[in-house]
Amino acid sequence: MPQHYPFTAVVGAELDQLDDMALALVLTTISPAIGGVLVRGEKGTAKSTLVRALAAVLPPIDVVKGDRFSSDPADPAPLSPDGPFGPDAEAETRPVRLVELPVGATEDRVLGSLDLEQALGSGITRYEPGLLARAHRGVLYVDEVNLLHDHLVDLLLDAAAMGRSTVERDGVSVEHAARFVLIGTMNPEEGELRPQLLDRFGLAVEVAAPRDPQARAEVVRRRLAFDADPAGFAARFAEQDAALTARIRRAQELVAEVELDDATLVSIAELCAAFEVDGLRADIVTARTAAAHAAWHGRTTITRDDVRAAARLALPHRRRRNPFDETGLDESQLDDLLGPDEPPAGGPEDGPGDGGPDDGGPDGGGPEGGPGGAPESGSAASAPATPPTPPGGDAPEGSGQAQESTVGAGEPVRARLLQVDGVGAGVSGRRSRAITDDGRRIGARTPAGRSGSLHLVETVRAAAPHQHARGRADGGRVLLRPADLRVAVREGRESNLVLLCVDASGSMAARRRMEQVKTAVLSLLLDAYQRRDKVGLVTFRGATASLDLPPTSSVDVAARRLEELPAGGRTPLAEGLATAADALRLEGIRDPLRRPLLVVVTDGRATSGPDALARAHRAADHVRATRVASVVVDCETGGFRLGLAGVLADRLGAQHLPLGEVSADSLTSVVRSAQVSGEVA
C-alpha cells in the first residue's frame, strides 16, 4: 500500500497550529452537517496532499460486514438496498474511505445505475452502486471541482445536504444513505464556480504558497525527506497524527453537547446581515461551525473566538453575488461587529494557531488582489495623462507610453448569443449544438465501454430478429445478448473556446469609444462565463500583437486583463490576426473536441508597417482557410464611416456585428423599432 504524506507533516497543519485550510477540514469532519469545504488556491500549495492525508487521521468506523453501502451497525433502520439486517448482523471496523471523483465522471458513475451484465446475462435487475454509495460515511474529494459539469456539482451538493441519494433510471428505483464530507479543490486561474454553487459549500478557504523563505525551505526539506524514505518520515509524525485522531474523536462525541444559546444566534445573524450575505444558509453554517470549533477546543459553550473563526470560514465566499465579484471579508469590520475580546468559557486555553483571531493562516486575499489590493485600473489615480488623439486616427508611431490611456469598462449587459454552426462533440456547456451526455434523445448507438444511458426500445429492437434462433418460447421473456445493447445518443449544448482579438490602437483610444469596446467585450466574457466556455484574449496595438491570456476557463482573469488594457499607437491588424490563428492552432492540438469561436473587435483599420491593409487581408484569408467560426464586432462610429470592418468580415467569412448590437437588449430594441415602423407605414 503506498504511503501517504502525513497530515501533521504539512506546514500549517501541525496539531497546535492549524492554518485556515487544515482547520476547515478538521471542523467539517467533526460536524459533517457543515456542508463540506471548498479550497481555492494557486497550484503547488499542498491542497491535494492535505486532503488525501485527511482520511488517514479520521477515527475508523464500524460497518455491517458485506454491505456495499457502509451501514452503521448501531443504526436501527439503515437506508441500504442490501438490507434489512438482523440484530445478529456481523460488524467490522475499517478506516474511513477517501473516494476521489474524477472530473470526467458521468452521472451513471456518480449515482450508480442498472448492472447491465446481470440484466443481459441473467435477466436480473440489480443496482450497481456509484461513487456516492462508496463515499457514505467517508470523504468525497473532487479535485478541480470548478471543471466539473454544473449538473454534477448540483447533484453532489444536494446529496451532501440531504444525506441520501435517490436513483430513478433504467428501470431502477433505489434510495440509499449518502452522508459524506464533500471537499473540493480548485485553482481560480482555471475558472470559477458560479455564485450559486459557491454558496452551497459550507466553508471556503483561500490558500497561497508561503512567501517567507524559512517556511518555504521547511516545506522543501520535509518533502525531500518524505521522498527519500516515506515509511521513516511517516513514523516521525505518527505520534502527532495519532493525537490528532484522538482529538477529532473527542470533538465528534462532544459537538452534540455544545450549547447554541439565543445570544450567540443573534450575534451570528447580525454578522450575516452586516456582511449582506443572501439567504439563511450562511447563518446555519456559521452556527454549526462555531459549535464544531468549540468542541475542537473541548468546550460546550461558544465564545467570541468560536464565532469569529466560523465567520472567517463561512462568509467570505458568500459575498460573491456576480461573476466578477471578489471574495473576501474585512476582518477589522468583523472585529468591530463582534465587540471586545472575552476570556474563554472553559476548557483548554486558546493559543495561537487554534483557528481564532491569532491564527497565522492565509488572510483570504490571494495573489490576484482582494481587500487592500492594487487600485482598480481605469481609476483616476491609475490613468496616465494622455494628449488628445485626432478623431478616428492613431497616435504617432514611437510616441511611447505618454500616448497610451487606460479606460475602464461600464456595467456588462446581456450579450447576444453567438454560436458555432453545425453539431459538435465537445464538453457539455450552453452555447453550440453538440452530441453530449445530457440533452434530448435523438438516436441510439452501440456502447463504447460501460458508459451511457440505456436505450431500452432500441435494445429490444436489436434483439428482436434473433429471438427464434435463440430458442425463445412462445410467450417467454425476450432473450438478450450483450451485442444487443444500445445506449442513447443525446443532443445538447457544448461549451466553446471564445478567443477575443481586441484592437487597442490609437483609433480606439478615444475615451468614450474604448469604454464602449470594453463594455461590449466584458459582456461577451460574462456570456462566456454563463455558458461555461473557455476564453482567450489577444490584443494588438503599436507594432505588435500579444496573447495576453492563453485559453482558460477563468473569465475572471480575462476581465481583469481587459480592465488593465491601455490603448494607443498604430494598428497592427495583420499581427493580431496571425497571433489569434497561432493560438487557435495550438489550442486545437491540446483540446481538439472543443470548437473555437474567434471574435475580432476592431474598426477594420490597419496602419502599422508597409502595405498594412493588404497584409491584414492576407492574414484574414489565412484564418478563413482554417474554417474557424468568426465574428467581427465593428467598432467604427460617427457619421463618416469607411466600412473596413465589413470588408474584414467578408475576407474572414465572418458574421458582421455592429458594436451596438452586441447587447441582446439592443438587438431586441432594433427589431421592435422596425416592427413599429412597419405598422405605422
Side-chain angles (χ1 to χ4, degrees):
M1 180 176 179
Q3 184 73 54
H4 290 296
Y5 198 88
F7 188 92
T8 55
V10 177
V11 174
E14 295 88 347
L15 181 60
D16 58 348
Q17 193 175 355
L18 299 184
D19 63 12
D20 281 0
M21 178 178 173
L23 179 65
L25 294 177
V26 166
L27 294 181
T28 198
T29 57
I30 292 172
S31 178
I34 287 172
V37 180
L38 176 67
V39 183
R40 305 168 74 251
E42 58 197 23
K43 53 187 176 292
T45 48
K47 300 187 297 293
S48 299
T49 299
L50 195 60
V51 173
R52 294 190 174 105
L54 176 67
V57 297
L58 295 180
I61 58 173
D62 295 330
V63 298
V64 175
K65 188 174 183 178
D67 178 37
R68 296 175 296 165
F69 300 86
S70 302
S71 297
D72 186 349
D75 190 344
L79 190 61
S80 170
D82 289 353
F85 309 107
D88 299 328
E90 187 177 356
E92 62 180 356
T93 301
R94 64 162 175 78
V96 169
R97 286 178 182 151
L98 174 70
V99 178
E100 297 195 39
L101 191 153
V103 170
T106 62
E107 188 172 328
D108 289 356
R109 184 74 185 97
V110 175
L111 287 178
S113 62
L114 178 68
D115 188 330
L116 295 178
E117 291 182 1
Q118 289 284 339
L120 297 179
S122 307
I124 299 174
T125 301
R126 187 168 187 260
Y127 171 66
E128 183 178 8
L131 294 176
L132 292 185
R134 182 170 175 78
H136 177 49
R137 302 180 67 204
V139 177
L140 182 62
Y141 173 44
V142 187
D143 192 14
E144 297 181 318
V145 65
N146 50 325
L147 303 184
L148 194 66
H149 197 274
D150 284 354
H151 83 280
L152 289 181
V153 179
D154 279 327
L155 187 153
L156 295 179
L157 293 168
D158 283 340
M162 301 194 57
R164 64 181 62 196
S165 175
T166 303
V167 183
E168 298 281 353
R169 58 188 307 156
D170 300 335
V172 173
S173 179
V174 170
E175 187 175 49
H176 65 80
R179 293 187 299 275
F180 49 84
V181 174
L182 177 63
I183 301 174
T185 56
M186 59 175 279
N187 182 350
E189 293 181 357
E190 296 172 345
E192 284 284 1
L193 283 172
R194 291 186 288 123
Q196 296 87 340
L197 294 179
L198 271 177
D199 180 60
R200 299 290 298 278
F201 278 95
L203 309 179
V205 292
E206 302 268 356
V207 295
R211 300 296 182 240
D212 176 43
Q214 294 299 327
R216 296 174 73 96
E218 181 61 21
V219 171
V220 175
R221 189 179 299 114
R222 293 186 186 185
R223 185 72 222 188
L224 294 178
F226 173 77
D227 291 341
D229 181 12
F233 183 83
R236 283 172 48 194
F237 290 88
E239 185 176 345
Q240 295 182 43
D241 274 7
L244 178 60
T245 300
R247 187 168 173 181
I248 291 174
R249 181 187 289 110
R250 289 195 299 271
Q252 289 174 337
E253 296 167 353
L254 185 63
V255 68
E257 302 175 23
V258 176
E259 180 185 2
L260 271 165
D261 56 41
D262 288 344
T264 299
L265 293 177
V266 170
S267 176
I268 291 172
E270 289 173 347
L271 283 179
C272 295
F275 284 112
E276 299 180 339
V277 295
D278 293 332
L280 293 173
R281 184 176 285 118
D283 304 60
I284 296 170
V285 170
T286 304
R288 288 172 173 165
T289 306
H293 191 266
W296 170 244
H297 290 287
R299 298 190 302 266
T300 58
T301 302
I302 294 176
T303 69
R304 174 188 183 279
D305 286 350
D306 297 325
V307 175
R308 188 185 193 282
R312 290 178 63 248
L313 299 174
L315 299 186
H317 62 295
R318 293 188 163 86
R319 305 195 70 197
R320 176 185 167 98
R321 292 185 178 83
N322 299 310
F324 302 133
D325 287 349
E326 292 284 352
T327 59
L329 198 69
D330 185 340
E331 294 201 25
S332 62
Q333 181 185 0
L334 175 61
D335 289 332
D336 290 342
L337 291 167
L338 286 172
D341 292 343
E342 60 185 25
E349 291 288 333
D350 288 353
D354 63 7
D358 295 326
D359 275 9
D363 60 8
E368 296 289 349
E376 190 177 22
S377 301
S379 66
S382 62
T386 307
T389 302
D394 291 340
E397 226 172 342
S399 56
Q401 185 67 24
Q403 296 298 324
E404 295 179 351
S405 64
T406 303
V407 179
E411 285 296 318
V413 297
R414 185 169 64 94
R416 176 178 180 172
L417 174 60
L418 305 176
Q419 300 182 78
V420 179
D421 291 337
V423 180
V427 179
S428 293
R430 299 176 182 175
R431 184 171 297 277
S432 305
R433 293 173 57 205
I435 302 300
T436 60
D437 292 333
D438 53 359
R440 64 187 183 91
R441 193 164 59 188
I442 60 171
R445 61 173 175 81
T446 55
R450 301 178 65 181
S451 63
S453 175
L454 177 66
H455 196 309
L456 184 58
V457 172
E458 292 301 323
T459 298
V460 173
R461 191 193 304 274
H466 309 291
Q467 295 304 296
H468 180 73
R470 293 173 183 173
R472 178 191 176 193
D474 291 342
R477 67 181 181 86
V478 176
L479 301 178
L480 300 176
R481 299 290 183 270
D484 302 329
L485 182 63
R486 299 292 184 272
V487 294
V489 175
R490 299 181 181 276
E491 182 181 294
R493 295 279 172 176
E494 67 176 356
S495 70
N496 297 109
L497 164 63
V498 178
L499 183 64
L500 297 160
C501 185
V502 180
D503 183 348
S505 65
S507 64
M508 313 294 288
R511 179 169 292 272
R512 181 60 183 159
R513 183 188 294 191
M514 199 60 193
E515 180 183 347
Q516 291 174 336
V517 169
K518 286 191 175 183
T519 300
V521 176
L522 191 64
S523 301
L524 293 171
L525 286 173
L526 177 62
D527 184 65
Y529 172 91
Q530 294 168 338
R531 300 186 188 281
R532 317 311 289 164
D533 294 320
K534 290 179 76 172
V535 296
L537 180 64
V538 171
T539 61
F540 54 95
R541 62 189 176 91
T544 60
S546 62
L547 179 61
D548 291 336
L549 181 69
T552 174
S553 296
S554 180
V555 297
D556 296 60
V557 177
R560 286 195 289 270
R561 300 282 171 85
L562 175 72
E563 189 74 15
E564 298 163 0
L565 177 65
R570 293 191 177 275
T571 311
L573 179 57
E575 286 76 5
L577 293 174
T579 301
D582 287 344
L584 292 173
R585 178 180 59 82
L586 291 175
E587 191 62 20
I589 297 172
R590 296 189 190 102
D591 194 356
L593 293 181
R594 193 184 299 267
R595 296 188 295 163
L597 175 65
L598 175 62
V599 181
V600 184
V601 183
T602 182
D603 57 10
R605 288 178 173 84
T607 62
S608 179
D611 301 322
L613 191 59
R615 289 191 300 108
H617 288 168
R618 287 196 296 271
D621 294 340
H622 170 71
V623 173
R624 182 172 187 169
T626 64
R627 306 180 68 84
V628 63
S630 305
V631 177
V632 173
V633 177
D634 187 349
C635 301
E636 192 171 33
T637 58
F640 177 72
R641 304 192 182 192
L642 299 177
L644 295 176
V647 175
L648 177 65
D650 290 339
R651 301 298 291 254
L652 284 169
Q655 177 183 356
H656 178 243
L657 184 65
L659 181 64
E661 294 184 14
V662 169
S663 165
D665 295 333
S666 297
L667 183 65
T668 303
S669 300
V670 170
V671 173
R672 286 176 179 167
S673 297
Q675 290 173 339
V676 171
S677 299
E679 291 170 1
V680 172

